[in-house]
Amino acid sequence: MQHEYQYFPITVPGKGAGGQTGTWRFVRPVVNLNKCIGCRACWMFCPEATIHVIDGKVEVDYDYCKGCGICANVCPVKAILMEGEDQ
Amino acid sequence: MLNDTSLMSGTSACPGCPENIAMRMLSMALGKDVALVVIAGCSSVTQGLAPKNAYGYASLNIAFAAGPPAASGMWRAYKRRNRDVTVVVWAGDGGTSDIGFASLSGAAERNEDFIYLCVDNEAYMNTGGHRSGSTPHGALTPTTPEGKSGNKKEIPFIMIDHNIPYVATASVGYPHDFIDKVREAKTIRGFKYVHVLTPDPYGWLFDPSRTAEVAKLAVQTCYWPLFKWKDGRIEVSPESLHCLKKETRRPLKDFLSIQGRFKKIDEKGIEDLERYIDELWERISLNLKR
């Protein structure tokens, strides 16, 4: 594999091609699961594909979430709040 | 559940990148068996560092003007091998309206069978947000510090004049509309052009959390029309139907005041932009499907 890579500029799909992008974050989305209605609006608009809907409830992959806050903005029931990373 | 495997987590894009949203929606529309030709731009960088790649589709990175010719060869090669693969050219607005326009026009004239998807963030965002042909009147960029003087180049109308089978405009703020249009484009043979507006938080100077909101505002204030051109007629999407009458449009200031790039625009500049929008919708209503 090493040998092939040296001669052909070919890449393979994989998570974390830009590094552990979770370290870029300074606010984190926190989901209030009691309020979440599972409408998937946050999943639809997440630019980083870090939101997973499991059994109708939302889970965030904090390893790669960059903390942009689009999910909190599009949530129709305001179930997602952005909290400071140092708290 | 819709397929969204075209984008792996951990890209090199800025937080709140609308091009990543558009890429995920593309895979929701097309599913598997897609080959991408990525023209130089932000999308070449967001794929990250080798040996990994953030895009789940087979993608060929290529120079600005070489995208449509490469895609022409690619779909012919797939056809020769009897493989049903949708070839998509993924280009920014600089690669579409300025640098790559000659080869785009040539491929449209030959009516090659692939989808050309332009993600329009209205400047050369990858190299620092310089003015492109797609930048609107009055917008501040590093190369137009007092605001651009001319209007936005209307690529969808130029492509309509090429008389190709399908032209559509979309916005990342309205995902279902965008996904429907890409799905429809897949069923048509011949050259398909889809132009999607992607508001960039760092070039348009607004908070990254408001990307989807600004994409919706652009449609609600009628700055960005949603329509498709098929069988020689324009069909306006339901989200944009209120724009056909001047009284029912949302005030343009709602869209301008949210962005930092319009902070130097004066009353005359706003009037010029409003006149541009009026002319745009007059042009659309002339070719309307009734």
Side-chain angles (χ1 to χ4, degrees):
Chain A
M1 196 65 201
Q2 186 75 29
H3 187 72
E4 280 175 24
Y5 171 64
Q6 284 174 346
Y7 286 91
F8 301 105
I10 292 174
T11 53
V12 287
K15 274 191 175 183
Q20 286 273 332
T21 49
T23 54
W24 300 12
R25 181 178 67 228
F26 54 91
V27 282
R28 65 158 60 204
V30 178
V31 188
N32 183 348
L33 289 176
N34 294 327
K35 276 189 180 178
C36 178
I37 52 171
C39 68
R40 298 194 173 93
C42 50
W43 171 83
M44 179 66 98
F45 284 105
C46 178
E48 215 45 46
T50 52
I51 289 182
H52 305 287
V53 183
I54 298 159
D55 294 336
K57 296 287 180 185
V58 166
E59 263 184 32
V60 184
D61 182 357
Y62 290 110
D63 286 349
Y64 297 108
C65 171
K66 290 171 182 167
C68 61
I70 291 180
C71 48
N73 196 20
V74 297
C75 184
V77 292
K78 302 288 167 222
I80 304 178
L81 282 178
M82 303 305 286
E83 289 182 359
E85 197 54 57
D86 52 339
Q87 285 171 13
Chain B
M1 196 82 171
L2 290 162
N3 169 48
D4 66 329
T5 50
S6 77
L7 193 89
M8 308 284 171
S9 301
T11 66
S12 305
C14 312
C17 178
E19 289 192 13
N20 280 357
I21 304 178
M23 173 54 79
R24 290 187 61 224
M25 288 171 187
L26 182 79
S27 73
M28 291 173 203
L30 296 180
K32 287 174 182 169
D33 289 337
V34 176
L36 283 179
V37 177
V38 180
I39 294 184
C42 284
S43 311
S44 315
V45 181
T46 55
Q47 292 171 25
L49 304 169
K52 283 182 186 167
N53 191 319
Y55 285 175
Y57 285 147
S59 30
L60 171 72
N61 287 288
I62 204 158
F64 277 111
S72 309
M74 206 184 255
W75 82 263
R76 278 160 209 269
Y78 279 126
K79 194 186 166 200
R80 177 67 60 91
R81 291 174 188 194
N82 278 327
R83 290 193 55 194
D84 185 22
V85 176
T86 314
V87 178
V88 179
V89 180
W90 182 271
D93 60 294
T96 304
S97 63
D98 302 339
I99 309 173
F101 185 71
S103 57
L104 165 66
S105 181
E109 185 264 324
R110 297 193 302 275
N111 204 13
E112 307 280 1
D113 186 12
F114 61 83
I115 302 175
Y116 191 101
L117 206 144
C118 170
V119 278
D120 185 2
N121 48 24
E122 303 198 325
Y124 288 93
M125 293 306 179
N126 185 33
T127 47
H130 307 123
R131 155 206 200 282
S132 79
S134 199
T135 308
H137 175 70
L140 303 183
T141 64
T143 43
T144 54
E146 294 297 318
K148 189 187 164 184
S149 55
N151 272 321
K152 185 179 167 77
K153 198 192 257 188
E154 288 164 334
I155 302 292
F157 290 103
I158 299 175
M159 295 318 290
I160 285 173
D161 289 344
H162 281 74
N163 214 5
I164 55 178
Y166 191 78
V167 178
T169 59
S171 161
V172 286
Y174 291 96
H176 297 89
D177 178 68
F178 177 37
I179 292 171
D180 279 353
K181 280 170 176 166
V182 177
R183 270 191 190 148
E184 190 176 7
K186 191 188 174 182
T187 60
I188 296 168
R189 284 187 60 83
F191 193 89
K192 286 89 64 177
Y193 181 82
V194 181
H195 196 117
V196 51
L197 186 77
T198 52
D200 182 311
Y202 300 95
W204 295 21
L205 305 176
F206 57 85
D207 191 80
S209 66
R210 304 178 92 170
T211 302
E213 193 184 335
V214 173
K216 281 177 187 162
L217 272 173
V219 175
Q220 286 166 5
T221 57
C222 304
Y223 167 77
W224 184 248
L226 296 187
F227 63 83
K228 63 182 173 193
W229 190 84
K230 205 182 153 192
D231 306 327
R233 285 274 171 245
I234 284 178
E235 197 180 318
V236 178
S237 300
E239 288 87 350
S240 274
L241 276 177
H242 67 285
C243 302
L244 290 169
K245 276 185 183 169
K246 205 174 173 181
E247 306 85 58
T248 47
R249 290 178 200 164
R250 191 167 171 175
L252 187 65
K253 275 183 181 169
D254 292 358
F255 176 63
L256 303 184
S257 59
I258 204 170
Q259 303 167 47
R261 64 171 179 164
F262 285 115
K263 70 182 171 200
K264 280 193 183 172
I265 198 166
D266 51 1
E267 288 300 319
K268 192 184 163 293
I270 294 175
E271 266 174 35
D272 286 348
L273 258 180
E274 277 172 347
R275 199 181 314 119
Y276 160 77
I277 290 169
D278 289 347
E279 284 169 6
L280 176 81
W281 281 98
E282 264 172 38
R283 216 162 156 186
I284 290 171
S285 50
L286 279 178
N287 293 309
L288 204 62
K289 190 176 188 176
R290 292 188 193 279

